Amino acid sequence: RPESVRTHELAWEQYVGEWLRTSVSAYRSTASDLITFIELDNEDFGFANQDTVRAKGLEFEAELRSRSGMQVVASAAFQRSVDEHGDRLVNWPDNVAEIRGSVPGPWRGSTAAVEVHYVGARQTLSKTWLPGFALAHAAFTAPLSRHFSLMASMRNVFNRRYFDPASAEHVQDSIEQYGRTARIDLRWDITGR
């Protein structure tokens, strides 16, 4: 059967001229009939609608824009999520935060951006806690012509070592994630916008 989610949210958003936008929202959600991984008697596995999750939280966001094209967006969320027994959820941080900034690049239409993303401590299936972590990312985009643009990006700039909780079908309790990765893309826009 399909899962169902019921959410109630109260939000406030305020603009100060053209340069600042702020928002605050509080929410409460109940997700029912969640499709859950289960182990069967014959050492096989399957899925069933059987879990319910309740979550409540508070989110903040602010966005600054300058006339020169600089932009900064910062957000933070504080949440608490439990199952029908009141137990904390696996791989569900109580807090996350992010700040992104971008500025016009040295060439017309180019942009340079940085982002720092924080994820709070998370519980694993064995009820141990993985520590929170912060990752920094950087990107640069430049148009080459009407149809082509170049994008260079680097994820996890400082090569931070971090782990995510594993799921029930994994042998290990947590899985190490990629370190620093770099990527260069050549994009082709056939519309030429």
Side-chain angles (χ1 to χ4, degrees):
R1 299 186 311 274
E3 301 173 333
S4 67
V5 179
R6 179 180 299 150
T7 299
H8 298 91
E9 183 175 11
L10 181 64
W12 171 79
E13 193 167 14
Q14 177 71 45
Y15 286 82
V16 178
E18 297 178 1
W19 65 278
L20 175 64
R21 179 187 62 81
T22 59
S23 67
V24 178
S25 64
Y27 67 88
R28 180 181 295 266
S29 295
T30 301
S32 305
D33 292 328
L34 297 180
I35 299 171
T36 306
F37 175 84
I38 58 171
E39 293 184 30
L40 304 173
D41 292 338
N42 59 0
E43 296 184 5
D44 204 358
F45 67 90
F47 297 90
N49 292 93
Q50 64 179 24
D51 286 345
T52 298
V53 169
R54 290 177 179 77
K56 58 185 176 180
L58 191 60
E59 297 178 355
F60 302 90
E61 184 173 279
E63 179 181 9
L64 294 159
R65 288 179 179 260
S66 74
R67 291 179 189 228
S68 65
M70 184 184 77
Q71 179 184 19
V72 176
V73 179
S75 63
F78 304 91
Q79 57 193 3
R80 177 76 177 204
S81 301
V82 296
D83 63 18
E84 62 260 24
H85 308 294
D87 294 330
R88 304 280 291 275
L89 298 183
V90 170
N91 196 12
W92 203 275
D94 284 346
N95 46 64
V96 294
E98 185 174 79
I99 185 165
R100 296 184 314 268
S102 64
V103 294
W107 302 289
R108 185 173 180 236
S110 64
T111 304
V114 294
E115 173 184 317
V116 177
H117 185 75
Y118 171 77
V119 176
R122 293 167 297 160
Q123 187 174 231
T124 68
L125 284 171
S126 68
K127 305 292 185 195
T128 60
W129 286 85
L130 296 177
F133 61 88
L135 300 177
H137 313 301
F140 179 76
T141 305
L144 300 177
S145 70
R146 184 175 173 199
H147 294 282
F148 290 96
S149 62
L150 182 70
M151 180 177 173
S153 63
M154 184 173 290
R155 311 277 302 163
N156 195 359
V157 172
F158 299 109
N159 203 26
R160 173 76 191 259
R161 188 174 185 212
Y162 69 103
F163 295 79
D164 283 339
S167 59
E169 57 265 22
H170 293 109
V171 174
Q172 62 271 53
D173 194 39
S174 62
I175 299 172
E176 185 171 3
Q177 300 301 303
Y178 287 117
R180 181 185 305 121
T181 58
R183 180 178 174 150
I184 297 177
D185 294 326
L186 179 62
R187 298 198 177 178
W188 176 34
D189 180 0
I190 59 173
T191 64
R193 294 181 198 167

Coordinates of all heavy atoms in Angstrom, one line a residue, residues 39-109:
E39 N 12.8 -9.3 7.7 CA 13.4 -10.6 7.5 C 12.3 -11.6 7.6 O 11.5 -11.6 8.6 CB 14.5 -10.8 8.4 CG 15.7 -9.9 8.2 CD 16.9 -10.2 9.1 OE1 17.0 -11.4 9.5 OE2 17.7 -9.3 9.4
L40 N 12.2 -12.6 6.7 CA 11.2 -13.6 6.7 C 11.8 -14.9 7.4 O 13.0 -15.0 7.6 CB 10.7 -13.9 5.3 CG 10.2 -12.7 4.5 CD1 9.9 -13.0 3.1 CD2 9.0 -12.1 5.2
D41 N 10.9 -15.8 7.7 CA 11.3 -17.1 8.4 C 12.3 -17.9 7.6 O 13.2 -18.5 8.2 CB 10.1 -17.9 8.7 CG 9.2 -17.3 9.7 OD1 9.7 -16.4 10.5 OD2 8.0 -17.6 9.7
N42 N 12.3 -17.9 6.3 CA 13.1 -18.8 5.5 C 14.5 -18.1 5.1 O 15.1 -18.4 4.1 CB 12.4 -19.2 4.2 CG 12.0 -18.0 3.4 OD1 12.2 -16.9 3.8 ND2 11.3 -18.3 2.3
E43 N 14.9 -17.1 6.0 CA 16.2 -16.4 5.8 C 16.1 -15.5 4.5 O 17.2 -15.1 4.1 CB 17.4 -17.3 5.8 CG 17.6 -18.1 7.1 CD 18.9 -18.9 7.1 OE1 19.6 -18.8 6.1 OE2 19.1 -19.6 8.1
D44 N 15.0 -15.3 4.0 CA 14.8 -14.4 2.9 C 14.4 -13.0 3.5 O 14.3 -12.9 4.7 CB 13.7 -14.9 2.0 CG 13.8 -14.4 0.6 OD1 14.8 -13.6 0.3 OD2 13.0 -14.8 -0.3
F45 N 14.2 -12.1 2.6 CA 13.7 -10.8 3.1 C 12.6 -10.2 2.2 O 12.4 -10.7 1.1 CB 14.9 -9.8 3.2 CG 15.5 -9.4 1.9 CD1 15.0 -8.3 1.2 CD2 16.5 -10.1 1.3 CE1 15.5 -7.9 0.0 CE2 17.1 -9.7 0.1 CZ 16.5 -8.7 -0.6
G46 N 11.9 -9.2 2.7 CA 10.9 -8.6 2.0 C 10.6 -7.2 2.5 O 11.3 -6.7 3.3
F47 N 9.4 -6.7 2.1 CA 9.0 -5.4 2.6 C 7.6 -5.4 3.0 O 6.8 -6.1 2.4 CB 9.2 -4.3 1.4 CG 10.7 -4.2 1.0 CD1 11.2 -4.9 0.0 CD2 11.5 -3.2 1.7 CE1 12.5 -4.8 -0.3 CE2 12.8 -3.1 1.3 CZ 13.3 -3.9 0.3
A48 N 7.2 -4.6 4.0 CA 5.8 -4.5 4.5 C 5.5 -3.1 5.0 O 6.4 -2.4 5.4 CB 5.6 -5.5 5.6
N49 N 4.2 -2.8 4.9 CA 3.7 -1.5 5.5 C 3.5 -1.7 7.0 O 2.6 -2.4 7.4 CB 2.4 -1.1 4.9 CG 2.5 -0.7 3.5 OD1 2.3 -1.6 2.6 ND2 2.8 0.5 3.2
Q50 N 4.5 -1.2 7.8 CA 4.3 -1.5 9.2 C 4.8 -0.4 10.2 O 4.5 -0.5 11.4 CB 4.9 -2.9 9.6 CG 6.4 -2.9 9.4 CD 7.0 -4.2 9.8 OE1 6.3 -5.2 9.8 NE2 8.3 -4.3 10.2
D51 N 5.5 0.6 9.8 CA 6.0 1.5 10.7 C 5.3 2.9 10.7 O 4.7 3.2 9.6 CB 7.5 1.8 10.5 CG 8.4 0.6 10.9 OD1 7.8 -0.3 11.7 OD2 9.5 0.5 10.5
T52 N 5.4 3.6 11.8 CA 4.9 4.9 11.9 C 6.0 5.8 12.5 O 6.6 5.4 13.4 CB 3.6 5.0 12.8 OG1 2.6 4.2 12.2 CG2 3.1 6.4 13.0
V53 N 6.1 7.0 12.0 CA 7.2 7.9 12.5 C 6.5 9.3 12.7 O 5.7 9.7 12.0 CB 8.3 8.1 11.4 CG1 9.2 9.2 11.8 CG2 9.1 6.8 11.2
R54 N 6.9 9.8 13.9 CA 6.4 11.2 14.2 C 7.6 12.1 14.3 O 8.7 11.8 14.9 CB 5.7 11.1 15.6 CG 4.4 10.4 15.5 CD 3.6 10.3 16.8 NE 2.4 9.7 16.6 CZ 2.2 8.3 16.5 NH1 3.3 7.6 16.5 NH2 1.0 7.8 16.3
A55 N 7.5 13.3 13.7 CA 8.6 14.2 13.7 C 8.1 15.6 14.0 O 7.0 16.0 13.7 CB 9.3 14.2 12.3
K56 N 8.9 16.4 14.7 CA 8.6 17.8 14.9 C 9.9 18.6 14.8 O 11.0 18.1 15.1 CB 7.9 18.0 16.3 CG 8.7 17.5 17.5 CD 7.9 17.7 18.7 CE 8.6 17.1 19.9 NZ 7.9 17.2 21.2
G57 N 9.8 19.8 14.4 CA 11.0 20.6 14.2 C 10.8 22.1 14.0 O 9.7 22.5 13.9
L58 N 11.9 22.8 14.0 CA 12.0 24.2 13.8 C 13.1 24.5 12.8 O 14.2 24.0 12.9 CB 12.3 24.9 15.1 CG 12.1 26.4 15.3 CD1 10.7 26.8 15.0 CD2 12.5 26.8 16.7
E59 N 12.7 25.3 11.8 CA 13.7 25.7 10.7 C 13.8 27.2 10.6 O 12.9 27.9 10.7 CB 13.3 25.1 9.4 CG 13.2 23.6 9.4 CD 12.7 23.0 8.0 OE1 12.3 23.8 7.1 OE2 12.7 21.8 7.9
F60 N 15.1 27.6 10.3 CA 15.4 29.0 10.1 C 16.1 29.2 8.8 O 16.9 28.3 8.5 CB 16.3 29.6 11.3 CG 15.7 29.4 12.6 CD1 16.0 28.3 13.4 CD2 14.9 30.4 13.2 CE1 15.5 28.1 14.7 CE2 14.4 30.3 14.5 CZ 14.7 29.1 15.2
E61 N 15.9 30.3 8.1 CA 16.6 30.6 6.9 C 16.7 32.1 6.7 O 15.8 32.8 7.0 CB 15.9 30.0 5.7 CG 16.7 30.1 4.4 CD 16.2 29.4 3.2 OE1 16.4 28.2 3.1 OE2 15.5 30.0 2.4
A62 N 17.9 32.5 6.2 CA 18.1 33.9 5.8 C 18.8 34.0 4.5 O 19.7 33.1 4.2 CB 18.9 34.6 6.9
E63 N 18.4 34.9 3.7 CA 19.1 35.1 2.4 C 19.4 36.6 2.2 O 18.6 37.4 2.3 CB 18.1 34.6 1.2 CG 18.7 34.8 -0.1 CD 17.8 34.4 -1.2 OE1 16.6 34.1 -0.9 OE2 18.2 34.3 -2.4
L64 N 20.7 36.8 1.9 CA 21.2 38.2 1.6 C 21.6 38.3 0.1 O 22.2 37.4 -0.4 CB 22.4 38.5 2.4 CG 22.2 38.6 3.9 CD1 23.6 38.4 4.6 CD2 21.6 39.9 4.3
R65 N 21.1 39.4 -0.6 CA 21.5 39.6 -2.0 C 22.0 41.0 -2.1 O 21.4 41.9 -1.6 CB 20.3 39.4 -2.9 CG 19.8 38.0 -3.1 CD 18.6 38.0 -4.0 NE 18.2 36.6 -4.2 CZ 18.4 35.9 -5.3 NH1 19.2 36.4 -6.2 NH2 18.0 34.7 -5.4
S66 N 23.1 41.2 -2.8 CA 23.6 42.5 -3.1 C 23.3 42.9 -4.6 O 23.1 42.0 -5.4 CB 25.1 42.6 -2.8 OG 25.8 42.0 -3.8
R67 N 23.3 44.2 -4.9 CA 23.1 44.6 -6.3 C 24.2 44.2 -7.2 O 24.1 44.0 -8.4 CB 23.0 46.1 -6.3 CG 21.7 46.6 -5.7 CD 21.6 48.1 -5.7 NE 20.5 48.5 -4.8 CZ 19.5 49.3 -5.2 NH1 19.6 49.9 -6.4 NH2 18.5 49.6 -4.4
S68 N 25.4 43.9 -6.6 CA 26.5 43.5 -7.4 C 26.5 42.0 -7.8 O 27.3 41.5 -8.6 CB 27.9 43.7 -6.7 OG 27.9 42.9 -5.5
G69 N 25.5 41.2 -7.2 CA 25.3 39.8 -7.6 C 25.8 38.9 -6.5 O 25.7 37.6 -6.7
M70 N 26.3 39.4 -5.4 CA 26.7 38.5 -4.3 C 25.5 38.0 -3.6 O 24.5 38.7 -3.5 CB 27.6 39.2 -3.3 CG 28.1 38.3 -2.2 SD 29.0 39.2 -1.0 CE 27.7 40.0 0.0
Q71 N 25.5 36.7 -3.2 CA 24.4 36.1 -2.5 C 24.9 35.2 -1.4 O 25.8 34.4 -1.6 CB 23.5 35.3 -3.5 CG 22.4 34.6 -2.9 CD 21.6 33.7 -3.9 OE1 22.1 33.3 -4.9 NE2 20.4 33.4 -3.5
V72 N 24.2 35.2 -0.2 CA 24.6 34.3 0.9 C 23.2 33.8 1.4 O 22.3 34.6 1.7 CB 25.3 35.1 2.0 CG1 25.5 34.1 3.2 CG2 26.6 35.6 1.5
V73 N 23.1 32.5 1.6 CA 22.0 31.8 2.1 C 22.4 30.9 3.3 O 23.3 30.1 3.1 CB 21.2 31.0 1.1 CG1 20.0 30.3 1.7 CG2 20.8 31.8 -0.1
A74 N 21.8 31.1 4.4 CA 22.1 30.3 5.6 C 20.8 29.7 6.1 O 19.8 30.3 6.2 CB 22.8 31.2 6.7
S75 N 20.9 28.4 6.5 CA 19.7 27.8 7.1 C 20.2 26.8 8.2 O 21.3 26.3 8.2 CB 19.0 27.0 6.0 OG 19.8 26.0 5.4
A76 N 19.2 26.5 9.1 CA 19.5 25.6 10.2 C 18.1 24.9 10.5 O 17.1 25.6 10.5 CB 20.1 26.3 11.4
A77 N 18.2 23.7 10.9 CA 17.0 22.9 11.2 C 17.3 22.1 12.5 O 18.3 21.5 12.6 CB 16.5 22.0 10.1
F78 N 16.3 22.2 13.4 CA 16.4 21.4 14.7 C 15.2 20.5 14.7 O 14.0 21.1 14.6 CB 16.4 22.4 15.9 CG 17.6 23.4 15.8 CD1 17.4 24.6 15.2 CD2 18.8 23.0 16.2 CE1 18.4 25.5 15.1 CE2 19.9 23.9 16.1 CZ 19.7 25.2 15.5
Q79 N 15.4 19.2 14.8 CA 14.2 18.3 14.7 C 14.4 17.2 15.7 O 15.4 16.8 16.2 CB 14.2 17.8 13.3 CG 15.4 17.1 12.8 CD 15.5 16.9 11.3 OE1 14.6 17.3 10.6 NE2 16.5 16.2 10.9
R80 N 13.2 16.5 15.9 CA 13.2 15.3 16.8 C 12.2 14.4 16.1 O 11.1 14.7 15.8 CB 12.7 15.7 18.1 CG 12.6 14.6 19.1 CD 13.9 14.1 19.6 NE 13.7 13.0 20.6 CZ 14.5 12.7 21.5 NH1 15.7 13.4 21.6 NH2 14.3 11.8 22.3
S81 N 12.7 13.1 15.8 CA 11.9 12.1 15.1 C 12.0 10.8 15.9 O 13.1 10.4 16.2 CB 12.3 11.9 13.7 OG 12.3 13.2 13.0
V82 N 10.8 10.2 16.1 CA 10.7 8.9 16.8 C 9.8 8.0 16.1 O 8.9 8.4 15.4 CB 10.3 9.2 18.3 CG1 11.3 10.0 19.1 CG2 8.9 9.8 18.3
D83 N 9.9 6.7 16.4 CA 9.0 5.7 15.9 C 7.8 5.5 16.8 O 7.7 6.3 17.8 CB 9.7 4.4 15.6 CG 10.3 3.7 16.9 OD1 9.8 4.1 18.0 OD2 11.1 2.8 16.7
E84 N 6.9 4.6 16.5 CA 5.7 4.4 17.3 C 6.0 4.0 18.8 O 5.1 4.1 19.6 CB 4.7 3.4 16.7 CG 5.3 2.0 16.5 CD 5.8 1.7 15.1 OE1 6.2 2.6 14.4 OE2 5.9 0.5 14.8
H85 N 7.2 3.5 19.1 CA 7.6 3.1 20.4 C 8.3 4.3 21.2 O 8.7 4.1 22.3 CB 8.5 1.9 20.4 CG 7.9 0.8 19.6 ND1 6.8 0.1 20.0 CD2 8.3 0.2 18.4 CE1 6.5 -0.8 19.1 NE2 7.4 -0.8 18.1
G86 N 8.5 5.4 20.5 CA 9.2 6.5 21.1 C 10.7 6.4 20.9 O 11.5 7.3 21.5
D87 N 11.2 5.5 20.2 CA 12.7 5.3 20.0 C 13.2 6.3 18.9 O 12.5 6.5 17.9 CB 13.0 3.9 19.6 CG 12.8 2.9 20.7 OD1 12.9 3.3 21.9 OD2 12.4 1.7 20.4
R88 N 14.4 6.8 19.0 CA 15.0 7.7 18.0 C 15.2 6.9 16.7 O 15.4 5.7 16.7 CB 16.3 8.2 18.5 CG 16.3 8.9 19.9 CD 15.8 10.3 19.7 NE 16.7 11.2 19.0 CZ 17.8 11.8 19.6 NH1 18.0 11.7 20.9 NH2 18.6 12.5 18.9
L89 N 15.1 7.6 15.6 CA 15.3 7.0 14.3 C 16.8 6.8 14.0 O 17.6 7.6 14.3 CB 14.6 7.8 13.2 CG 13.1 8.0 13.4 CD1 12.6 8.8 12.2 CD2 12.4 6.7 13.5
V90 N 17.1 5.8 13.2 CA 18.4 5.5 12.7 C 18.7 6.5 11.6 O 17.8 6.8 10.8 CB 18.5 4.1 12.2 CG1 19.8 3.8 11.4 CG2 18.4 3.1 13.3
N91 N 19.9 7.0 11.5 CA 20.3 7.9 10.4 C 19.5 9.2 10.3 O 19.2 9.6 9.3 CB 20.3 7.2 9.1 CG 21.2 7.9 8.0 OD1 21.9 8.8 8.3 ND2 21.0 7.5 6.8
W92 N 19.1 9.7 11.5 CA 18.2 10.9 11.5 C 18.9 11.9 12.5 O 18.7 11.8 13.7 CB 16.9 10.5 12.0 CG 15.8 11.5 11.5 CD1 15.5 12.6 12.1 CD2 15.0 11.4 10.3 NE1 14.5 13.3 11.4 CE2 14.2 12.5 10.3 CE3 14.9 10.5 9.3 CZ2 13.3 12.8 9.3 CZ3 14.0 10.7 8.3 CH2 13.2 11.9 8.3
P93 N 19.6 12.9 12.0 CA 20.2 13.9 12.8 C 19.2 14.8 13.5 O 18.2 15.1 12.9 CB 21.2 14.7 11.9 CG 20.5 14.6 10.6 CD 19.8 13.2 10.5
D94 N 19.5 15.3 14.7 CA 18.7 16.3 15.4 C 18.9 17.7 14.8 O 18.0 18.5 15.0 CB 18.9 16.3 16.9 CG 18.3 15.1 17.6 OD1 17.5 14.4 17.0 OD2 18.7 14.8 18.8
N95 N 20.0 17.9 14.2 CA 20.2 19.2 13.6 C 21.1 19.2 12.4 O 22.0 18.3 12.3 CB 20.9 20.2 14.7 CG 22.0 19.5 15.4 OD1 23.0 19.2 14.8 ND2 21.8 19.3 16.7
V96 N 20.8 20.0 11.5 CA 21.5 20.2 10.2 C 21.6 21.7 10.0 O 20.7 22.5 10.4 CB 20.9 19.5 9.0 CG1 20.9 18.0 9.2 CG2 19.5 20.0 8.8
A97 N 22.7 22.1 9.3 CA 22.8 23.6 9.0 C 23.6 23.7 7.7 O 24.4 22.8 7.3 CB 23.6 24.3 10.1
E98 N 23.4 24.8 7.0 CA 24.1 25.0 5.7 C 24.3 26.5 5.5 O 23.4 27.3 5.8 CB 23.3 24.4 4.6 CG 23.9 24.4 3.3 CD 23.1 23.7 2.2 OE1 22.1 24.2 1.7 OE2 23.5 22.5 1.9
I99 N 25.4 26.8 4.9 CA 25.6 28.2 4.5 C 26.2 28.2 3.1 O 27.2 27.4 2.9 CB 26.5 29.0 5.5 CG1 26.5 30.5 5.0 CG2 27.8 28.4 5.7 CD1 27.0 31.5 6.1
R100 N 25.7 28.9 2.2 CA 26.1 29.0 0.8 C 26.4 30.4 0.4 O 25.6 31.3 0.8 CB 25.1 28.4 -0.2 CG 24.8 27.0 0.0 CD 23.8 26.4 -1.0 NE 22.6 27.3 -1.3 CZ 21.5 27.2 -0.7 NH1 21.3 26.3 0.3 NH2 20.5 28.0 -1.0
G101 N 27.5 30.6 -0.3 CA 27.8 32.0 -0.8 C 28.2 31.9 -2.2 O 28.9 31.0 -2.6
S102 N 27.8 32.9 -3.0 CA 28.3 33.0 -4.4 C 28.5 34.4 -4.7 O 27.9 35.4 -4.2 CB 27.2 32.4 -5.3 OG 26.0 33.1 -5.3
V103 N 29.5 34.6 -5.6 CA 29.9 35.9 -6.1 C 30.1 35.8 -7.6 O 30.4 34.8 -8.2 CB 31.2 36.5 -5.5 CG1 31.0 36.7 -4.0 CG2 32.3 35.5 -5.7
P104 N 29.9 37.0 -8.3 CA 30.2 37.0 -9.8 C 31.7 36.7 -10.0 O 32.5 37.1 -9.2 CB 29.8 38.4 -10.2 CG 28.9 38.9 -9.2 CD 29.3 38.2 -7.9
G105 N 32.0 35.9 -11.0 CA 33.3 35.5 -11.3 C 34.0 36.6 -12.1 O 33.5 37.6 -12.4
P106 N 35.3 36.3 -12.5 CA 36.1 37.3 -13.2 C 35.6 37.6 -14.7 O 35.9 38.6 -15.2 CB 37.5 36.7 -13.2 CG 37.3 35.3 -13.0 CD 36.0 35.1 -12.3
W107 N 34.8 36.6 -15.3 CA 34.3 36.8 -16.6 C 32.8 37.0 -16.6 O 32.2 36.5 -15.7 CB 34.7 35.6 -17.5 CG 36.1 35.3 -17.5 CD1 37.1 36.0 -18.2 CD2 36.8 34.2 -16.9 NE1 38.3 35.5 -18.0 CE2 38.2 34.4 -17.2 CE3 36.4 33.2 -16.1 CZ2 39.1 33.5 -16.7 CZ3 37.3 32.3 -15.6 CH2 38.7 32.4 -15.9
R108 N 32.3 37.7 -17.6 CA 30.9 38.0 -17.7 C 30.1 36.7 -17.6 O 30.3 35.8 -18.4 CB 30.6 38.7 -19.0 CG 29.2 39.2 -19.1 CD 29.0 40.1 -20.3 NE 27.6 40.5 -20.3 CZ 26.8 40.3 -21.3 NH1 27.3 39.7 -22.4 NH2 25.5 40.7 -21.3
G109 N 29.1 36.6 -16.7 CA 28.3 35.5 -16.6 C 28.8 34.4 -15.7 O 28.2 33.4 -15.5

